[in-house]
Amino acid sequence: MKVIQYTEIVDEVSRICQEANFDLGEDVVNAFKESVKTETSAAGKSILNQLIENADIATSNRVPMCQDTGVSVFLVKLGQDCHITGGRLEDAINEGVRKGYDEGYLRYSIVDDPITRKNTGDNTPAVIHIELVEGDTLDVQMSAKGGGAENMSAMKMLTPSAGLDGVKDFIMTTVKEAGPNACPPLVVGIGIGGNFEVAPYLAKKSLFRPVGERHPDEDIAALEMELHEAVNQLGIGPQGLGGDTTALDIKVETAPCHIAALPVAVNLNCHASRHKHFVI
């Protein structure tokens, strides 16, 4: 059995919270660069080039690429042969977020109550999803999820009679209605199936896959590519000013569901698609 120290988790979480906000992943930057080559709108090309420059400035100067440094969302795979000593896993993650956002001078975006709306002052609590898996490793993925794109996300309980066409219509309507408000070019995460709480989780989970990585199932991969082409034909373009690059990528995850239901969730991510990862 592997023993993992609480303090090691704190330090690793602190590090990736800062890196997520300072260092946009190569997958996203490369997608910007490829999109510049195909973008036909002059305004769209200009914005994409500005996003590339912005990412470079953030990395070089160790400053956040966006003022919205997001909700800290974690997908954790905890090996059943791991033993964490010195404290609870959730507490270690939250302490790491607190430390990272403080030391990185990152904006605190979390309020302690949705009604009274007093800021917690340290960007905690994080949103933490833990899955118990085989093995003796602790695998942690983190995303800094901005509020603007999250606000334009949606979930709907369709009936099976809606079929795949109904699913596609809901996805396209959600992206179209979001327009410029989700800060395109987007990464669009889609969850199909499960139930009322599972579909949004699937949509969120899909956003952790690197831009350009297709689903291993050929049919779902084909759906991702079909939707990507359709979304880019909407003409919303970078920052909503028109163009061919409304989305950098579309991600789809599915799960079994009830015979009477067809849940669908669309989780939008802005151009700052920030995700980091560590394994202990």
Side-chain angles (χ1 to χ4, degrees):
M1 179 172 290
K2 179 186 289 184
V3 176
I4 300 175
Q5 297 293 327
Y6 175 98
T7 53
E8 185 177 3
I9 300 170
V10 171
D11 289 342
E12 286 293 287
V13 168
S14 172
R15 176 181 62 80
I16 64 170
C17 282
Q18 295 176 64
E19 289 182 357
N21 282 285
F22 300 156
D23 303 314
L24 194 57
E26 287 186 12
D27 60 324
V28 183
V29 175
N30 288 338
F32 290 157
K33 293 177 179 177
E34 289 301 311
S35 296
V36 170
K37 298 175 184 177
T38 58
E39 178 59 61
T40 58
S41 161
K45 280 184 179 290
S46 176
I47 290 167
L48 288 165
N49 281 317
Q50 289 177 54
L51 293 177
I52 295 167
E53 181 182 8
N54 184 69
D56 182 62
I57 291 170
T59 294
S60 299
N61 295 303
R62 313 312 290 162
V63 294
M65 64 195 71
C66 177
Q67 84 283 354
D68 183 354
T69 55
V71 176
S72 300
V73 181
F74 291 84
L75 299 186
V76 180
K77 292 181 179 179
L78 174 63
Q80 62 186 5
D81 294 323
C82 285
H83 175 64
I84 297 167
T85 185
R88 297 175 62 248
L89 174 58
E90 292 94 332
D91 292 340
I93 291 172
N94 278 308
E95 186 173 336
V97 170
R98 192 176 300 116
K99 182 173 184 280
Y101 274 71
D102 177 58
E103 293 179 355
Y105 299 100
L106 303 173
R107 192 186 80 178
Y108 306 140
S109 301
I110 305 301
V111 296
D112 64 355
D113 184 277
I115 306 301
T116 60
R117 306 197 70 80
K118 180 183 177 183
N119 198 294
T120 62
D122 58 14
N123 219 59
T124 68
V127 176
I128 306 170
H129 302 280
I130 300 176
E131 179 183 354
L132 187 64
V133 298
E134 294 182 354
D136 65 352
T137 59
L138 175 66
D139 185 307
V140 178
Q141 295 184 83
M142 180 267 180
S143 172
K145 188 66 172 65
E150 196 82 347
N151 284 347
M152 303 310 298
S153 301
M155 189 268 179
K156 190 169 185 178
M157 297 297 295
L158 298 174
T159 58
S161 62
L164 183 57
D165 286 341
V167 171
K168 293 176 183 178
D169 287 345
F170 174 65
I171 294 165
M172 296 301 294
T173 298
T174 300
V175 175
K176 187 174 182 179
E177 290 181 350
N181 296 325
C183 289
L186 310 169
V187 179
V188 181
I190 299 163
I192 306 173
N195 61 1
F196 188 79
E197 75 267 19
V198 171
Y201 171 69
L202 292 172
K204 180 77 70 184
K205 184 179 180 181
S206 76
L207 294 173
F208 284 79
R209 276 199 276 138
V211 171
E213 180 182 284
R214 295 275 63 84
H215 194 282
D217 183 287
E218 291 184 1
D219 291 336
I220 298 176
L223 177 61
E224 291 176 338
M225 291 186 285
E226 177 189 343
L227 289 168
H228 192 191
E229 182 178 355
V231 164
N232 281 340
Q233 289 176 354
L234 290 173
I236 296 168
Q239 293 299 288
L241 296 179
D244 309 301
T245 318
T246 298
L248 298 174
D249 206 356
I250 307 287
K251 305 294 189 184
V252 178
E253 294 290 337
T254 66
C257 64
H258 192 280
I259 58 173
L262 179 53
V264 186
V266 180
N267 194 196
L268 303 179
N269 207 120
C270 66
H271 63 268
S273 182
R274 299 165 291 193
H275 43 81
K276 297 297 176 185
H277 178 220
F278 71 82
V279 178
I280 300 176

